[in-house]
Amino acid sequence: MIDDGTGLFTIGELARSTGLTVRTIRYWSDEGVLTPVSRSAGGYRLYDAESAARLELIRTLRELGLGLVDVRKVLDGERTVAEVAAAHVVALDAQIRSLRTIRAVLSTVARRGSTAEEMTLMNKLARLSAAERRRIMEEFVEEMFHGLDHVDPDIRERMRNTAVNLPDDPTPEQVDAWVELAEMVQDPEFRAQMRRAAEFNHGGRRQDTPAGASMWFVKRLIELTEQARERGIAPESPEAEKVLRELFGNADRADILERVKATHNVRLARYRELLGILKGTQVKAYEEEFAWVVAALEARTAS
């Protein structure tokens, strides 16, 4: 407080009492959020006790991340602190989502050793809106099943639900998974692979085949194969033939091998794993069980 009996403060005295810099207080004063009550004979800005309290409020609002425009509205009574805080929460949420996306892209770039071009693509994919992500998945599913009326309805429904159930606010891990999944479903080779799997399902069903039969068969295959592996039955052993016969009957082994390879392989297993990450669930691919079946079939179809 200046020693003239007025009870007023200079900027330097406000700075010493609040711990703020003279430069910061002067800037806020220049911006009109801390108006001096008068000036000294030498032209210096002077502030009173109410100005000091106002300064503390300004500092608090600024430390919480509010811009000077919002600070001024609060100080002038145009908006309440609660209203500004609620709006700021929304803005912070958007900023957090953006930072999550940046983190996920950079971690993927670092892990893959990506080129600048790949990084640009990944960033573009990661920043797609929820609606744009769903559109990509819906187009992929539509192409997969187009014209295949006899595909198991349960499988078709599962795929379509997946296309519309991507998270609106993904975690960094889910952003990372989405980037990889988006690259995968837009890869012509993978799309053709998934179409081939759907065609096998379509061609292997009759009109009276009940919905869910495909899923039931997969569960049965996993169950029998797990039992065989637990009993130490090698795929090439004579005992494995009994397992194959129980699963496939007398169907042509070469044809069955082609179907199994088309519907259960490393890329499809990774596709299901990525979907699990996006849905927040763990998905077991049963790679060892299907590998056993493939090995057993190959042992009986080798020329």
Side-chain angles (χ1 to χ4, degrees):
M1 184 182 300
I2 60 176
D3 189 19
D4 62 357
T6 62
L8 299 179
F9 303 86
T10 64
I11 285 183
E13 289 167 331
L14 277 181
R16 284 191 294 274
S17 66
T18 61
L20 292 165
T21 65
V22 169
R23 182 178 179 181
T24 296
I25 298 174
R26 183 178 291 117
Y27 172 68
W28 289 348
S29 186
D30 290 342
E31 290 297 315
V33 295
L34 185 67
T35 305
V37 295
S38 66
R39 287 184 178 265
S40 68
Y44 294 105
R45 285 175 273 203
L46 300 175
Y47 304 87
D48 59 10
E50 185 178 340
S51 300
R54 184 181 179 97
L55 182 59
E56 289 294 344
L57 177 57
I58 294 170
R59 174 162 65 177
T60 299
L61 294 173
R62 291 292 287 153
E63 288 177 347
L64 290 173
L66 272 67
L68 286 179
V69 173
D70 284 325
V71 169
R72 187 181 295 109
K73 288 179 179 179
V74 170
L75 294 173
D76 294 345
E78 296 178 20
R79 300 185 71 182
T80 66
V81 172
E83 289 171 341
V84 172
H88 198 55
V89 166
V90 173
L92 282 175
D93 284 342
Q95 187 177 9
I96 289 169
R97 286 194 294 271
S98 179
L99 289 173
R100 284 176 177 171
T101 299
I102 293 170
R103 178 188 179 281
V105 170
L106 290 176
S107 67
T108 302
V109 168
R111 190 182 67 251
R112 295 186 184 182
S114 303
T115 64
E117 291 78 9
E118 290 171 332
M119 181 176 66
T120 299
L121 174 61
M122 282 188 285
N123 188 50
K124 180 179 178 181
L125 291 173
R127 291 184 178 279
L128 292 175
S129 68
E132 289 169 326
R133 295 200 303 272
R134 292 189 183 104
R135 178 184 55 77
I136 288 175
M137 292 300 296
E138 286 169 355
E139 288 178 353
F140 164 68
V141 173
E142 180 59 31
E143 179 180 316
M144 180 179 172
F145 293 120
H146 181 70
L148 303 180
D149 299 331
H150 296 305
V151 168
D152 192 320
D154 281 10
I155 291 180
R156 189 192 299 270
E157 189 63 23
R158 280 191 176 208
M159 292 290 291
R160 284 180 172 164
N161 284 339
T162 296
V164 299
N165 285 338
L166 296 177
D168 289 339
D169 183 14
T171 64
E173 292 74 20
Q174 288 173 320
V175 171
D176 200 4
W178 160 248
V179 169
E180 185 177 345
L181 181 67
E183 291 176 322
M184 183 179 288
V185 300
Q186 293 179 92
D187 175 14
E189 184 178 334
F190 180 73
R191 292 173 82 107
Q193 189 177 33
M194 291 294 283
R195 172 69 180 186
R196 184 64 172 153
E199 288 172 345
F200 273 129
N201 186 275
H202 168 83
R205 287 174 54 84
R206 299 190 304 270
Q207 288 188 344
D208 60 347
T209 303
S214 300
M215 301 303 299
W216 177 88
F217 176 77
V218 169
K219 291 179 181 178
R220 181 64 173 156
L221 182 149
I222 292 169
E223 178 185 341
L224 292 178
T225 306
E226 282 180 338
Q227 293 174 1
R229 294 179 65 243
E230 288 172 0
R231 299 201 320 263
I233 298 176
E236 65 278 3
S237 67
E239 292 86 350
E241 177 60 31
K242 181 179 179 182
V243 179
L244 294 179
R245 192 175 300 115
E246 190 167 351
L247 283 170
F248 308 115
N250 295 319
D252 181 77
R253 295 292 189 260
D255 180 62
I256 294 297
L257 177 61
E258 185 181 4
R259 290 170 179 266
V260 173
K261 283 186 173 181
T263 54
H264 298 87
N265 51 63
V266 173
R267 291 201 80 188
L268 283 174
R270 181 57 179 165
Y271 170 79
R272 286 189 284 268
E273 183 180 359
L274 292 172
L275 289 180
I277 294 172
L278 287 169
K279 292 165 64 178
T281 60
Q282 287 193 342
V283 176
K284 187 174 180 181
Y286 297 102
E287 292 182 59
E288 293 181 348
E289 286 74 14
F290 283 102
W292 187 95
V293 173
V294 169
L297 290 168
E298 286 179 336
R300 285 152 181 81
T301 56
S303 56

